[in-house]
Amino acid sequence: MLKKIVKILPIFILFIYGCNDDFLEVQPSDRLSTEQLGQAAEFNPEIIKGGVAGLYQLMYLPGTGGFGGDDDFGQKGIDIWTDMLSADIAHSETNYGWYSTFSNLQASVDFTNRANYMAWRYYYRIIRAANKLIGTLGGNDITPEAQANRHYMGQAKAMRAYAYFYLVQLYTDRYDPTQEVLPIYNSAEKVEGVAKSTMEEVYNLIYSDLNDALSLLSDFNRTAKSQINTDVVKMLLAYAYASEDKNWDQVKSLTADVINTGSYPILAKAQALDGMNFISTPGWIWASDITIDDSVSLASFYSQMDYFTYGYASVGNSKSIDASLYAEMPADDVRRDWFRSSDLINWRKYYDPARQWDGQRPVITDVFYMRIAEVYLLHAEAALKADGDAGAARGALKTVVSERVNDASYIDGLSTLALTSEITLQTRLELWGEGKAYLLKRRNKMDIVRGSNHLIFVGDVMSYDDNRLSFEIPQAEILNNPFISTQN
């Protein structure tokens, strides 16, 4: 399938991609200053457009974590890691070695391991670029006069909140508002480093940025799914509230708002095996359109996950669904065919439609970060936790499950306890490979147990806050930031 190639080549993208190993450097001397860019942007908002486009490209381009390895490709690479940590992805073969030290839980406890640096650098690079945009547009407390600039400010603040949200999930073991966890950088000024802020302070910035973004984007009609709109912001807010295990009434309301837009249809049963591979896929809320111009190949989600893409999944670095999780699907569940029955590898969920072994190169299949099914599932979870609204929970859950099995009426007879378990199960099944199981198990304090097709720790029970299931502040940050002396 050929795709139309449309790319912007903006000069403003230089401030995002022109960075060295100091990934928080914000004032290269050979480029326009933030103040100069801001003055120009007052008269021509198009100057900011390239910076926003470049900010989104950081989410999927190879090398955004600073190493350039074939597991270094932004958010979807981290989604693979976290699904491994949650045990829902089984690393069943390890040819070429990618992800081996992660699946055996060695990388996550070694602060010198590159994986810890890659995730840290990726999110702080997003933050750095967002801070540059925010500074160019006037700073944290400014509402730009031009409508386009308000929209750019809203997107930049939402991206900064997104990055801090994931940092606080990945680099801590559990929710503790008093724990000192991360350095906060919220301006474009160059600094040598700052001390850790508490988890509460990080969340306060997340909520401030997202609520500002809701206001700034209230009249924004986006032109591409890569752009953050209010639906994306509401879901980021919902996930933040859920991760603190409080304000579930807000989670219920926010997810209902997104559902009630009617803009995102659930992937129907008849299309469930057609693959989630292009940005036109029904129900995608936030996604990136990958084109030939992006030069994406081995360092990509499809290389690592798809048997039909030239890359690692096709030659023995396989990622399978956990065998115990797969066994919980009924015989008529269409999602069983997402996985090859012989070895449970990804087979019909994410794949190149040509379905030629080791075929697609370069990669032009697209990636998503958010889709409507997860909104319904989070709404179902929130409805029970907010006010015990079993009717709303059943309705939201059935919307998803009725498109996966022949008869979802069994949900009507479930007790509250059984309904809670079913929501958890369906979230894990539906969102396999999407990085959401890690968030689910963390906020619900679920034990992690590996099924029979994992290579190591089969049957071991690990607490959700086991130190092996989170990242360490990397050695590079400790060496370069005089205010941080230990990885914990």
Side-chain angles (χ1 to χ4, degrees), residues 187-245:
S187 92
E189 294 182 18
K190 181 176 175 61
V191 294
E192 296 302 322
V194 298
K196 294 178 185 177
S197 294
T198 66
M199 190 177 292
E200 182 177 32
E201 290 168 333
V202 177
Y203 270 100
N204 286 342
L205 177 60
I206 292 168
Y207 292 132
S208 175
D209 275 352
L210 291 176
N211 282 307
D212 284 351
L214 276 182
S215 176
L216 291 161
L217 297 173
S218 61
D219 57 352
F220 176 51
N221 295 309
R222 67 182 181 180
T223 57
K225 286 184 180 178
S226 61
Q227 299 165 341
I228 289 179
N229 64 2
T230 55
D231 297 331
V232 177
V233 175
K234 287 176 180 179
M235 282 304 296
L236 292 173
L237 263 174
Y239 276 120
Y241 285 132
S243 69
E244 292 191 283
D245 195 21

Coordinates of all heavy atoms in Angstrom, one line a residue, residues 187-245:
S187 N 11.6 25.8 32.1 CA 11.9 27.0 31.4 C 13.0 26.7 30.3 O 13.7 25.6 30.4 CB 12.4 28.1 32.3 OG 13.7 28.2 32.5
A188 N 13.2 27.6 29.4 CA 14.2 27.4 28.3 C 15.6 27.9 28.8 O 16.5 27.8 28.0 CB 13.7 28.2 27.1
E189 N 15.7 28.4 30.0 CA 17.0 28.9 30.4 C 17.9 27.7 30.6 O 17.6 26.7 31.1 CB 16.8 29.7 31.7 CG 16.0 30.9 31.6 CD 16.0 31.7 32.9 OE1 16.8 31.4 33.8 OE2 15.1 32.6 33.1
K190 N 19.2 27.9 30.2 CA 20.2 26.9 30.4 C 20.6 26.8 31.9 O 20.9 27.8 32.5 CB 21.4 27.2 29.5 CG 22.5 26.2 29.7 CD 23.7 26.5 28.7 CE 24.8 25.5 28.9 NZ 24.5 24.1 28.6
V191 N 20.6 25.6 32.4 CA 21.0 25.4 33.8 C 21.9 24.2 33.8 O 21.8 23.3 32.9 CB 19.8 25.2 34.7 CG1 19.0 26.5 34.9 CG2 18.9 24.0 34.3
E192 N 22.7 24.0 34.9 CA 23.6 22.9 35.0 C 23.0 21.7 35.6 O 23.5 20.6 35.6 CB 24.9 23.3 35.8 CG 25.7 24.4 35.2 CD 26.2 24.0 33.8 OE1 26.6 22.8 33.6 OE2 26.2 24.9 32.9
G193 N 21.8 21.9 36.1 CA 21.1 20.8 36.8 C 20.3 21.3 37.9 O 20.6 22.4 38.4
V194 N 19.3 20.6 38.3 CA 18.5 21.0 39.5 C 18.2 19.7 40.4 O 18.4 18.6 39.9 CB 17.1 21.6 39.1 CG1 17.3 22.8 38.3 CG2 16.3 20.6 38.3
A195 N 17.9 20.0 41.6 CA 17.6 18.9 42.5 C 16.2 18.2 42.2 O 15.4 18.8 41.4 CB 17.5 19.4 43.9
K196 N 16.1 17.1 42.7 CA 14.8 16.3 42.6 C 13.6 17.1 43.2 O 13.8 17.7 44.3 CB 14.9 15.0 43.2 CG 15.8 14.0 42.5 CD 15.8 12.7 43.3 CE 16.8 11.7 42.8 NZ 16.8 10.4 43.6
S197 N 12.5 17.1 42.5 CA 11.3 17.6 43.1 C 10.5 16.4 43.7 O 10.7 15.2 43.3 CB 10.4 18.3 42.1 OG 11.1 19.5 41.7
T198 N 9.5 16.7 44.5 CA 8.7 15.6 45.0 C 7.7 15.1 44.0 O 7.4 15.8 43.0 CB 7.9 16.0 46.3 OG1 7.0 17.0 45.9 CG2 8.8 16.5 47.4
M199 N 7.2 13.9 44.1 CA 6.2 13.4 43.2 C 5.0 14.4 43.1 O 4.4 14.6 42.1 CB 5.8 12.0 43.6 CG 4.9 11.3 42.6 SD 4.5 9.6 43.0 CE 6.1 8.8 42.9
E200 N 4.6 14.9 44.3 CA 3.5 15.8 44.3 C 3.7 17.1 43.4 O 2.9 17.5 42.7 CB 3.1 16.3 45.7 CG 1.9 17.2 45.8 CD 1.6 17.6 47.3 OE1 2.5 17.6 48.1 OE2 0.4 17.8 47.6
E201 N 5.0 17.6 43.5 CA 5.3 18.7 42.7 C 5.3 18.4 41.2 O 4.9 19.2 40.4 CB 6.7 19.3 43.1 CG 6.7 19.9 44.5 CD 8.1 20.2 45.1 OE1 9.0 19.4 44.7 OE2 8.2 21.1 45.9
V202 N 5.8 17.2 40.9 CA 5.7 16.8 39.4 C 4.3 16.7 39.0 O 3.9 17.2 37.9 CB 6.4 15.5 39.2 CG1 6.3 15.0 37.8 CG2 7.9 15.6 39.6
Y203 N 3.4 16.1 39.8 CA 2.0 16.0 39.4 C 1.4 17.4 39.3 O 0.5 17.6 38.4 CB 1.2 15.1 40.4 CG 1.2 13.6 40.0 CD1 2.1 12.7 40.6 CD2 0.3 13.2 39.1 CE1 2.1 11.4 40.3 CE2 0.3 11.8 38.7 CZ 1.2 11.0 39.3 OH 1.2 9.6 39.0
N204 N 1.7 18.3 40.2 CA 1.2 19.6 40.1 C 1.5 20.3 38.8 O 0.6 21.0 38.2 CB 1.7 20.5 41.3 CG 1.0 20.1 42.6 OD1 0.0 19.5 42.7 ND2 1.7 20.5 43.7
L205 N 2.7 20.1 38.3 CA 3.1 20.6 37.0 C 2.3 20.0 35.9 O 1.8 20.6 34.9 CB 4.6 20.5 36.8 CG 5.1 20.9 35.4 CD1 4.8 22.4 35.2 CD2 6.6 20.7 35.2
I206 N 2.1 18.6 36.0 CA 1.4 17.9 35.0 C -0.1 18.4 34.9 O -0.6 18.7 33.8 CB 1.4 16.4 35.3 CG1 2.8 15.8 35.1 CG2 0.3 15.7 34.4 CD1 2.9 14.4 35.7
Y207 N -0.7 18.6 36.0 CA -2.1 19.1 36.0 C -2.2 20.5 35.6 O -3.1 20.9 34.8 CB -2.7 18.9 37.4 CG -2.9 17.5 37.8 CD1 -2.5 17.0 39.1 CD2 -3.5 16.6 37.0 CE1 -2.7 15.7 39.5 CE2 -3.7 15.3 37.4 CZ -3.3 14.8 38.6 OH -3.4 13.5 39.0
S208 N -1.2 21.4 36.0 CA -1.2 22.7 35.5 C -1.1 22.8 34.0 O -1.8 23.6 33.4 CB -0.1 23.5 36.2 OG 0.0 24.8 35.7
D209 N -0.2 22.1 33.5 CA 0.1 22.1 32.0 C -1.2 21.6 31.3 O -1.6 22.2 30.2 CB 1.3 21.3 31.7 CG 2.6 22.1 31.8 OD1 2.5 23.3 32.0 OD2 3.7 21.4 31.6
L210 N -1.7 20.5 31.7 CA -2.9 19.9 31.0 C -4.1 20.8 31.1 O -4.9 20.9 30.1 CB -3.1 18.5 31.5 CG -2.1 17.5 31.2 CD1 -2.4 16.1 31.8 CD2 -1.9 17.3 29.7
N211 N -4.4 21.4 32.2 CA -5.5 22.3 32.4 C -5.3 23.5 31.5 O -6.3 24.0 30.9 CB -5.8 22.6 33.8 CG -6.5 21.5 34.6 OD1 -7.5 21.0 34.1 ND2 -5.9 21.0 35.7
D212 N -4.1 24.0 31.5 CA -3.8 25.1 30.6 C -4.1 24.7 29.1 O -4.6 25.5 28.3 CB -2.4 25.6 30.7 CG -2.1 26.4 32.0 OD1 -3.1 26.8 32.6 OD2 -1.0 26.7 32.3
A213 N -3.6 23.5 28.8 CA -3.8 23.0 27.4 C -5.2 22.9 27.0 O -5.6 23.2 25.9 CB -3.1 21.7 27.2
L214 N -6.1 22.5 28.0 CA -7.5 22.4 27.7 C -8.1 23.7 27.3 O -8.9 23.8 26.3 CB -8.3 21.8 28.9 CG -8.3 20.3 29.1 CD1 -9.1 20.0 30.3 CD2 -8.9 19.6 27.9
S215 N -7.7 24.7 28.0 CA -8.2 26.1 27.7 C -7.6 26.6 26.4 O -8.3 27.1 25.5 CB -7.8 27.0 28.8 OG -8.2 28.4 28.6
L216 N -6.3 26.4 26.2 CA -5.7 27.0 25.0 C -6.1 26.3 23.7 O -6.1 26.9 22.6 CB -4.1 26.8 25.2 CG -3.5 27.7 26.2 CD1 -2.1 27.2 26.6 CD2 -3.4 29.2 25.7
L217 N -6.5 25.0 23.8 CA -6.9 24.2 22.7 C -8.4 24.1 22.5 O -8.9 23.4 21.7 CB -6.3 22.8 22.7 CG -4.8 22.7 22.7 CD1 -4.3 21.3 23.0 CD2 -4.2 23.2 21.4
S218 N -9.2 24.9 23.3 CA -10.6 24.7 23.3 C -11.3 25.0 21.9 O -12.3 24.5 21.6 CB -11.3 25.7 24.3 OG -11.0 27.0 24.0
D219 N -10.6 25.8 21.1 CA -11.2 26.1 19.7 C -10.2 25.6 18.6 O -10.3 26.1 17.5 CB -11.4 27.6 19.6 CG -10.1 28.5 19.8 OD1 -9.1 27.9 20.2 OD2 -10.2 29.7 19.5
F220 N -9.4 24.6 19.0 CA -8.5 24.1 18.0 C -9.1 22.9 17.2 O -9.5 21.9 17.8 CB -7.2 23.6 18.8 CG -6.2 22.9 17.9 CD1 -5.7 23.5 16.7 CD2 -5.7 21.7 18.3 CE1 -4.8 22.9 15.9 CE2 -4.7 21.1 17.5 CZ -4.2 21.7 16.3
N221 N -9.1 23.0 15.9 CA -9.5 21.9 15.0 C -8.3 21.4 14.3 O -7.8 22.0 13.4 CB -10.6 22.4 14.0 CG -11.8 22.9 14.7 OD1 -12.4 22.1 15.5 ND2 -12.3 24.1 14.4
R222 N -7.8 20.3 14.8 CA -6.5 19.8 14.3 C -6.7 19.3 12.8 O -7.8 19.0 12.4 CB -6.0 18.7 15.2 CG -6.8 17.4 15.2 CD -6.2 16.4 16.1 NE -6.9 15.1 16.1 CZ -6.6 14.1 16.8 NH1 -5.6 14.1 17.6 NH2 -7.4 13.0 16.8
T223 N -5.5 19.3 12.1 CA -5.5 18.8 10.7 C -4.8 17.5 10.6 O -4.8 16.9 9.5 CB -4.8 19.8 9.9 OG1 -3.4 20.0 10.4 CG2 -5.5 21.2 9.9
A224 N -4.3 16.9 11.7 CA -3.7 15.6 11.6 C -3.8 14.9 13.0 O -3.8 15.6 14.0 CB -2.2 15.7 11.2
K225 N -3.9 13.6 13.0 CA -4.0 12.9 14.3 C -2.7 12.9 15.1 O -2.7 12.6 16.3 CB -4.3 11.4 14.0 CG -5.8 11.2 13.6 CD -6.1 9.7 13.4 CE -7.5 9.5 13.0 NZ -7.8 8.0 12.9
S226 N -1.6 13.4 14.5 CA -0.4 13.5 15.3 C -0.4 14.7 16.2 O 0.3 14.7 17.2 CB 0.8 13.7 14.3 OG 0.6 14.9 13.6
Q227 N -1.3 15.6 16.0 CA -1.5 16.8 16.8 C -2.3 16.5 18.0 O -3.3 15.8 18.0 CB -2.1 17.9 16.0 CG -1.3 18.3 14.8 CD -2.1 19.2 13.8 OE1 -3.3 19.2 13.8 NE2 -1.3 19.9 12.9
I228 N -1.9 17.1 19.1 CA -2.7 16.9 20.4 C -3.9 17.9 20.3 O -3.8 19.1 20.1 CB -1.9 17.2 21.6 CG1 -0.9 16.1 21.8 CG2 -2.7 17.4 22.8 CD1 0.0 16.3 23.0
N229 N -5.1 17.3 20.5 CA -6.3 18.2 20.7 C -6.9 18.0 22.1 O -6.3 17.3 22.9 CB -7.3 17.9 19.6 CG -7.9 16.4 19.7 OD1 -7.5 15.7 20.6 ND2 -8.7 16.1 18.7
T230 N -8.0 18.5 22.4 CA -8.6 18.4 23.7 C -8.9 17.0 24.1 O -8.9 16.6 25.3 CB -9.8 19.3 23.9 OG1 -10.8 19.0 22.9 CG2 -9.5 20.8 23.8
D231 N -9.2 16.1 23.1 CA -9.5 14.7 23.4 C -8.3 14.0 24.0 O -8.3 13.3 25.0 CB -10.0 14.0 22.2 CG -11.3 14.5 21.6 OD1 -12.1 15.0 22.5 OD2 -11.5 14.4 20.4
V232 N -7.1 14.3 23.4 CA -5.9 13.7 23.9 C -5.5 14.3 25.2 O -5.2 13.5 26.1 CB -4.7 14.0 22.9 CG1 -3.4 13.5 23.4 CG2 -5.0 13.4 21.5
V233 N -5.7 15.6 25.4 CA -5.5 16.2 26.7 C -6.3 15.6 27.8 O -5.8 15.3 28.9 CB -5.7 17.7 26.6 CG1 -5.5 18.3 28.0 CG2 -4.7 18.4 25.7
K234 N -7.6 15.4 27.5 CA -8.5 14.8 28.5 C -8.1 13.4 28.9 O -8.1 13.0 30.1 CB -9.9 14.8 28.0 CG -10.6 16.2 28.0 CD -11.9 16.2 27.4 CE -12.5 17.6 27.4 NZ -13.9 17.6 26.7
M235 N -7.6 12.6 27.9 CA -7.1 11.3 28.3 C -5.8 11.3 29.1 O -5.6 10.5 30.0 CB -6.9 10.5 27.0 CG -8.3 9.9 26.5 SD -9.2 9.0 27.7 CE -8.1 7.6 27.9
L236 N -4.9 12.2 28.7 CA -3.7 12.4 29.6 C -4.1 12.8 31.0 O -3.5 12.2 32.0 CB -2.8 13.4 28.9 CG -2.1 13.0 27.6 CD1 -1.4 14.2 27.0 CD2 -1.2 11.8 27.7
L237 N -5.0 13.7 31.1 CA -5.5 14.0 32.5 C -6.1 12.8 33.2 O -5.8 12.6 34.4 CB -6.6 15.1 32.4 CG -6.1 16.6 32.6 CD1 -7.3 17.5 32.3 CD2 -5.6 16.8 34.0
A238 N -6.9 12.0 32.5 CA -7.5 10.9 33.1 C -6.5 9.9 33.5 O -6.6 9.3 34.6 CB -8.5 10.2 32.0
Y239 N -5.5 9.6 32.7 CA -4.4 8.7 33.1 C -3.7 9.2 34.3 O -3.3 8.4 35.2 CB -3.5 8.4 32.0 CG -4.0 7.3 31.0 CD1 -4.2 7.6 29.7 CD2 -4.2 6.0 31.5 CE1 -4.6 6.6 28.8 CE2 -4.6 5.0 30.6 CZ -4.8 5.3 29.3 OH -5.3 4.3 28.4
A240 N -3.4 10.5 34.4 CA -2.7 11.1 35.6 C -3.5 10.9 36.8 O -3.0 10.4 37.9 CB -2.4 12.6 35.3
Y241 N -4.8 11.2 36.8 CA -5.7 11.0 38.0 C -5.7 9.6 38.4 O -5.6 9.2 39.6 CB -7.1 11.5 37.7 CG -7.3 13.0 37.7 CD1 -8.0 13.6 36.6 CD2 -6.8 13.8 38.7 CE1 -8.2 15.0 36.6 CE2 -7.0 15.2 38.7 CZ -7.7 15.8 37.7 OH -7.8 17.1 37.7
A242 N -5.9 8.7 37.4 CA -6.0 7.2 37.7 C -4.7 6.7 38.3 O -4.7 5.9 39.2 CB -6.2 6.5 36.4
S243 N -3.5 7.3 37.9 CA -2.3 6.8 38.4 C -2.1 7.1 39.9 O -1.3 6.5 40.6 CB -1.1 7.4 37.6 OG -1.0 8.8 37.8
E244 N -2.8 8.2 40.3 CA -2.7 8.6 41.7 C -3.8 7.8 42.5 O -3.9 7.9 43.8 CB -3.0 10.1 41.9 CG -1.8 10.9 41.4 CD -2.0 12.4 41.9 OE1 -2.8 13.1 41.2 OE2 -1.3 12.8 42.8
D245 N -4.7 7.1 41.8 CA -5.8 6.3 42.4 C -6.7 7.2 43.2 O -7.1 6.9 44.3 CB -5.2 5.2 43.3 CG -6.3 4.2 43.7 OD1 -7.3 4.1 42.9 OD2 -6.1 3.4 44.7

